[in-house]
Amino acid sequence: GAGVSQSPRYKVTKRGQDVALRCDPISGHVSLYWYRQALGQGPEFLTYFNYEAQQDKSGLPNDRFSAERPEGSISTLTIQRTEQRDSAMYRCASSLAGQGGQPQHFGDGTRLSIL
Amino acid sequence: AQKITQTQPGMFVQEKEAVTLDCTYDTSDQSYGLFWYKQPSSGEMIFLIYQGSYDEQNATEGRYSLNFQKARKSANLVISASQLGDSAMYFCAMRDFYNQGGKLIFGQGTELSVKP
């Protein structure tokens, strides 16, 4: 596709359930990033991949959060045993390379609400 | 630690006038990049402009220009001839090329309102 595609756009689930958020990057983009954005705040880094290799997961809040990109294209961010504090906008971005001045292009995000 | 500071939570500008959105940063790295993104009320994040720490000239992209003052660690965004469609949240972000890998560090944002 022309841009970064995220699904679902909205996800409402009960506390304690697992959720999986999907990101399809721009074709040919080597690097893929996950961010979390609270209302009225800037995005906060979670993790990123170059191809299928997870390069940095220092931003994942705890071990309930995990991400994978098994074939170097589509990525899934999984949150296990969700809690209300996990409610936020989750954004995916991709770039041609993970170095230098390559801009990251963002998807429209998944709005996650935990009841 | 790397940090981005945007001190203007909200700004107003008259249509067709220029406006400057402030951004200061803190890093110990010598090689880094600065980015500005626009987030309209519809929610998407739109890349606007990039400035590398070793770039000698200020970056420009159409009506957007970046006033980069390295010694002061500031990277202010200048929007010329404001339009109603410029009303949005604007985020300044930084990436350290060696120590922080690929991640962007974002500021808190500035909400710009353009008055007709």
Side-chain angles (χ1 to χ4, degrees), chain A residues 81-111:
Chain A
R81 305 181 303 281
T82 51
E83 301 177 5
Q84 285 188 329
R85 60 179 171 157
D86 300 333
S87 296
M89 175 72 85
Y90 288 82
R91 293 193 182 272
C92 175
S94 70
S95 67
L96 276 171
Q99 300 172 6
Q102 292 291 335
Q104 295 178 19
H105 298 277
F106 284 79
D108 288 342
T110 294
R111 171 71 67 188

Side-chain angles (χ1 to χ4, degrees), chain A residues 31 45 47-58, chain B residues 101-102:
Chain A
S31 302
F45 171 79
T47 185
Y48 95 97
F49 296 82
N50 281 339
Y51 299 101
E52 71 281 0
Q54 192 170 22
Q55 299 292 323
D56 183 353
K57 56 181 181 179
S58 63

Side-chain angles (χ1 to χ4, degrees), chain A residues 33 35 37 40-43 45 48 56 58 91 95 97-106 108, chain B residues 35 37 39 42-47 50 89 91 95 97 100-109:
Chain A
Y33 313 81
Y35 293 84
Q37 186 176 19
Q41 305 289 317
F45 171 79
Y48 95 97
D56 183 353
S58 63
R91 293 193 182 272
S95 67
Q99 300 172 6
Q102 292 291 335
Q104 295 178 19
H105 298 277
F106 284 79
D108 288 342
Chain B
F35 302 79
Y37 285 84
Q39 187 170 45
S42 51
E44 66 261 45
M45 289 282 286
I46 303 166
F47 166 70
Y50 162 77
M89 191 74 133
F91 291 101
R95 168 200 267 172
F97 292 161
Q100 294 295 320
K103 70 181 176 186
L104 287 173
I105 307 295
F106 283 85
Q108 297 282 70

Side-chain angles (χ1 to χ4, degrees), chain B residues 4-85:
Chain B
I4 292 280
T5 302
Q6 295 180 255
T7 57
Q8 307 151 312
M11 289 277 289
F12 291 91
V13 65
Q14 204 67 35
E15 193 179 9
K16 299 181 186 177
E17 293 185 349
V19 63
T20 298
L21 306 184
D22 294 342
C23 172
T24 58
Y25 59 92
D26 190 17
T27 180
S28 56
D29 279 10
Q30 297 300 310
S31 184
Y32 53 88
L34 297 149
F35 302 79
W36 277 90
Y37 285 84
K38 173 184 178 181
Q39 187 170 45
S41 57
S42 51
E44 66 261 45
M45 289 282 286
I46 303 166
F47 166 70
L48 295 178
I49 194 167
Y50 162 77
Q51 178 85 44
S53 60
Y54 289 115
D55 293 341
E56 293 186 353
Q57 293 194 329
N58 287 341
T60 61
E61 285 288 346
R63 294 186 299 111
Y64 303 109
S65 61
L66 210 153
N67 184 0
F68 180 49
Q69 298 187 45
K70 193 170 180 177
R72 296 175 115 182
K73 292 190 174 178
S74 75
N76 300 339
L77 177 70
V78 180
I79 305 174
S80 62
S82 297
Q83 301 173 356
L84 295 178

